Amino acid sequence: MKKIPLILMGCGGVGRQLLQHIVSCRSLHAKQGVRLRVVGVCDSNSLIVASDVINGEVDDVGLTQVCKAKSNGASLATVSSHAMSGQEVTSKIIEVVSLLGNSTGLAVVDCSASSETAGILSQVVDFGCCVVLANKKPLTASLEVYDKLVSLPRRIRHESTVGAGLPVIAALNRIISSGDPVHRIVGSLSGTLGYVMSELQTGKPFSKVVTVAKSLGYTEPDPRDDLGGMDVARKALILARLLGHRLTLDSLKIESLYPVEMRPSVMPIEDFLVNGLPQLDADIQDRITKASSKGNVLRYVCLIEKTRCEVGIQELPKDSPLGRLRGSDNLLEIYSRCYNEQPLVIQGAGAGNDTTAAGVLADILDIQDLFP
Amino acid sequence: MKKIPLILMGCGGVGRQLLQHIVSCRSLHAKQGVRLRVVGVCDSNSLIVASDVINGEVDDVGLTQVCKAKSNGASLATVSSHAMSGQEVTSKIIEVVSLLGNSTGLAVVDCSASSETAGILSQVVDFGCCVVLANKKPLTASLEVYDKLVSLPRRIRHESTVGAGLPVIAALNRIISSGDPVHRIVGSLSGTLGYVMSELQTGKPFSKVVTVAKSLGYTEPDPRDDLGGMDVARKALILARLLGHRLTLDSLKIESLYPVEMRPSVMPIEDFLVNGLPQLDADIQDRITKASSKGNVLRYVCLIEKTRCEVGIQELPKDSPLGRLRGSDNLLEIYSRCYNEQPLVIQGAGAGNDTTAAGVLADILDIQDLFP
């Protein structure tokens, strides 16, 4: 039985779901000849670690306890029964990494949403251990950090950073390794903005569509977190860097669907929803009408092409895969030598803890050949 | 530099294109720290093999010669300058397999369309070597052969057996390994039949659409080779077996688009084209009209669901991904726990030597961690 030792950073949302998947897949993975050995689980202020990190594990009873505490909104410290500083958590993780990097190997799985994990992950790479990410922030940090993380390209997986479990990164890596040059990527990578843009086509005003999306729970509590485009921009940057573009988040052209004078620090959310949003209706309606007269529709997409990497509204043919997209699915069109006139299209749910955690789990299983 | 030693079986069409890709990707792969070391190339009556199989290779000049001969329609024997019997080719390959299985490892790549390779491939597995397939026949042979081939599941890849380079198998393997149960697969896996079914929607008679498809080169020389559904059935069986169905080709329900009394052994091709085909128009037109009255369209698909695995015409909602499909793209809908109401969809060109060979090459790169 092959054992994959792993440490999980971040055990809310996706991380908790991952632990549940790991426990419920025990017999499936045993049939595949693999066991995921959870050596440690941490959040920002606590760490649970196996007493014997070389051979032992946090057992399924312990993992289930973590899941239960986290689903009740409690901190990991309530399970571990002692709180730690971030620095203490980091030191302890690095201690385990240095031990296992020299023996059985280790996968460090980042399911947090923190920008503070890049430092640990860089050290993980230095020790020759593997990195699996659902967290977009380490991959969208400076190019120096990025280059370090991908310096052992077989030892990093990050499918769930773009389109949740959709096999977007896997597909691109296959295309790249087979020497098929990617000319163009266009993708709707926000379920929220996908829903908004396709609803606009039915003639409803922008303010109304956003308000309904918020009431359906499709948006963040403050919809400006979606409308600003930063989440899509991080995904675009990850894809662009995968294709070899030397870009940073600062250098991306990102279109926000609200103007700076309506930004959260200036306009309270209630004011934005009641008075701000309706002011945006006419302009968007105008753009829709113009696009429609040319047989096009508007989509909020990432567009990567030659030296271009943009995030914002694009006019796209009504009859293209993106033009036909309805609802909250993500959709990516990839154009290359092999997929020239008609793109390779990947479409499906691009969010949700279950799907995102399933993508992380598939990544972990996919690096099994690197373990003894 | 990691070296992946490989033997290629079948060097027409896809195999020849693979050799060209390997040669033209040399610097790309060097950057990735990998070199594909071609130890041998064979067709059914000749074999070219490196003089030192442990360390040497057939160099790029040799590979280019093979490509040139094959593209001129010549046999490999014209390059190797001596013809061999099939038995001699087999013995020599097994000799190399046994040598390399115990030292550097080896990938045996089957790009033939032969049903005769299953025996060699079974022995390749016994020696612990890897198998990469574009050839569907070994995977659609008896369950005994199938079980042997997949007995070391990390050591076999066969992306290009379904949908050419489309990441269909990769996506399914990810879903399976993450414990997300697949409920249903529906797919249009024949570019020819996809084109035919979507053209029928425009009101053209079946006989006319098939004749045009033939004149455009979309069909086999005898269109009955497409219309019979056997090629789709093989792909369906490969997908069904991947999901754990214990099926054989004989046990599949396969709908042929022409009746037995028009089979090639009874009706000459000219007779079929001129007199046979038009007799089929009314019936298909009738089915289209009936489907249309319910908001559905007809698609020739594989359908895998619970214990069902069928190949033939299905009525599907006009607004589903398959219902919206036009032209010759392949399209697969996968329904699972994570992709429940809306499926995971993969769409794109599902044929062509370039795309198929690119899929094989990506498979070879994907097993690199199994080599020292």
Side-chain angles (χ1 to χ4, degrees), chain B residues 5 60 62 75 107 140 162 184 191 233 236 239 301 304 324 347 369 371:
Chain B
D60 288 357
S75 151
T140 53
V162 180
R184 176 183 160 96
L239 296 180
V301 294
I304 305 165
R324 285 193 295 262
Q347 177 181 351
D369 300 327
F371 293 85

Side-chain angles (χ1 to χ4, degrees), chain A residues 29 177 337 345 347 354 363, chain B residues 29 177 337 345 347 354:
Chain A
H29 291 156
S177 72
R337 184 193 69 228
V345 179
Q347 178 181 350
D354 185 2
D363 273 353
Chain B
H29 291 156
S177 72
R337 185 191 69 228
V345 179
Q347 177 181 351
D354 185 3

Side-chain angles (χ1 to χ4, degrees), chain A residues 21 25 28-29 32 153-154 157 159-160 163-167 170-171 173-180 321 324-326 329 337-339 342-350 354-355 357-363 365-370, chain B residues 21 25 28-29 32 153-154 157 159-160 163-167 170-171 173-180 321 324-326 329 337-339 342-350 354-355 357-363 365-370:
Chain A
H21 283 346
C25 285
L28 173 80
H29 291 156
Q32 296 169 357
R154 297 295 296 176
R157 300 294 154 110
E159 188 59 83
S160 292
L166 293 177
N173 273 330
R174 289 184 62 88
I175 292 177
I176 293 167
S177 72
S178 66
D180 181 17
R324 285 193 296 263
L325 183 64
R326 297 289 176 278
D329 267 3
R337 184 193 69 228
C338 285
Y339 304 99
Q342 295 287 100
L344 166 58
V345 179
I346 297 172
Q347 178 181 350
D354 185 2
T355 310
V360 174
L361 187 51
D363 273 353
L365 271 292
D366 204 35
I367 51 171
Q368 62 181 274
D369 300 327
L370 294 165
Chain B
H21 284 345
C25 285
L28 173 79
H29 291 156
Q32 296 168 359
R154 299 294 297 175
R157 299 294 154 109
E159 189 59 84
S160 293
L166 292 178
N173 273 330
R174 290 184 62 88
I175 291 177
I176 292 166
S177 72
S178 66
D180 181 17
R324 285 193 295 262
L325 183 64
R326 298 287 176 280
D329 267 2
R337 185 191 69 228
C338 285
Y339 304 99
Q342 295 287 100
L344 165 58
V345 179
I346 297 172
Q347 177 181 351
D354 185 3
T355 310
V360 174
L361 187 51
D363 273 354
L365 272 291
D366 204 35
I367 51 171
Q368 61 182 273
D369 300 327
L370 293 165

Side-chain angles (χ1 to χ4, degrees), chain A residues 201-215:
Chain A
Q201 261 172 274
T202 65
K204 293 172 195 149
F206 180 67
S207 56
K208 176 82 185 161
V209 171
V210 173
T211 312
V212 169
K214 179 173 157 60
S215 71

Side-chain angles (χ1 to χ4, degrees), chain B residues 191-193 195-196 199 205-227 268-274 277:
Chain B
T192 313
L193 295 177
Y195 169 84
V196 167
E199 280 296 288
F206 181 67
S207 56
K208 176 81 186 162
V209 171
V210 172
T211 312
V212 170
K214 180 173 157 59
S215 70
L216 291 171
Y218 288 2
T219 70
E220 296 294 321
D222 186 338
R224 285 172 291 190
D225 288 346
D226 299 295
L227 300 175
I269 175 165
E270 274 312 312
D271 194 14
F272 174 71
L273 293 172
V274 176
L277 267 176

Side-chain angles (χ1 to χ4, degrees), chain B residues 107-362:
Chain B
V108 175
V109 182
D110 183 356
C111 289
S112 76
S114 165
S115 52
E116 306 297 313
T117 58
I120 297 186
L121 295 173
S122 296
Q123 293 187 63
V124 168
V125 170
D126 282 334
F127 280 105
C129 294
C130 295
V131 169
V132 176
L133 302 169
N135 183 5
K136 290 182 275 290
K137 292 194 178 139
L139 291 177
T140 53
S142 69
L143 275 166
E144 194 189 341
V145 169
Y146 180 80
D147 288 343
K148 161 66 80 176
L149 291 179
V150 303
S151 58
L152 297 170
R154 299 294 297 175
R155 292 177 184 268
I156 182 162
R157 299 294 154 109
H158 57 92
E159 189 59 84
S160 293
T161 57
V162 180
L166 292 178
V168 163
I169 307 291
L172 279 170
N173 273 330
R174 290 184 62 88
I175 291 177
I176 292 166
S177 72
S178 66
D180 181 17
V182 175
H183 305 137
R184 176 183 160 96
I185 290 178
V186 205
S188 178
L189 297 175
S190 155
T192 313
L193 295 177
Y195 169 84
V196 167
M197 299 313 289
S198 69
E199 280 296 288
L200 287 177
Q201 262 172 273
T202 64
K204 294 172 195 147
F206 181 67
S207 56
K208 176 81 186 162
V209 171
V210 172
T211 312
V212 170
K214 180 173 157 59
S215 70
L216 291 171
Y218 288 2
T219 70
E220 296 294 321
D222 186 338
R224 285 172 291 190
D225 288 346
D226 299 295
L227 300 175
M230 188 47 75
D231 184 62
V232 177
R234 287 194 190 276
K235 294 172 184 169
L237 183 60
I238 290 171
L239 296 180
R241 286 179 166 181
L242 195 63
L243 299 186
H245 294 257
R246 303 293 292 169
L247 294 170
T248 58
L249 209 48
D250 302 338
S251 65
L252 290 199
K253 193 173 149 196
I254 306 167
E255 180 184 5
S256 168
L257 295 188
Y258 64 88
V260 282
E261 59 270 25
M262 294 186 193
R263 67 187 183 276
S265 58
V266 174
M267 190 180 270
I269 175 165
E270 274 312 312
D271 194 14
F272 174 71
L273 293 172
V274 176
N275 304 309
L277 267 176
Q279 293 176 42
L280 307 173
D281 288 346
D283 180 50
I284 289 208
Q285 186 51 55
D286 193 41
R287 291 172 74 175
I288 291 173
T289 310
K290 272 187 194 143
S292 176
S293 71
K294 289 179 271 178
N296 292 334
V297 294
L298 301 186
R299 292 289 179 261
Y300 193 97
V301 294
C302 75
L303 171 63
I304 305 165
E305 197 174 33
K306 295 196 183 85
T307 57
R308 241 171 120 191
C309 178
E310 297 175 15
V311 170
I313 290 181
Q314 298 282 345
E315 278 193 25
L316 296 167
K318 210 173 53 196
D319 283 337
S320 65
L322 276 164
R324 285 193 295 262
L325 183 64
R326 298 287 176 280
S328 63
D329 267 2
N330 282 13
L331 190 151
L332 198 78
E333 299 178 1
I334 303 169
Y335 295 82
S336 68
R337 185 191 69 228
C338 285
Y339 304 99
N340 193 353
E341 280 172 47
Q342 295 287 100
L344 165 58
V345 179
I346 297 172
Q347 177 181 351
N353 288 344
D354 185 3
T355 310
T356 308
V360 174
L361 187 51

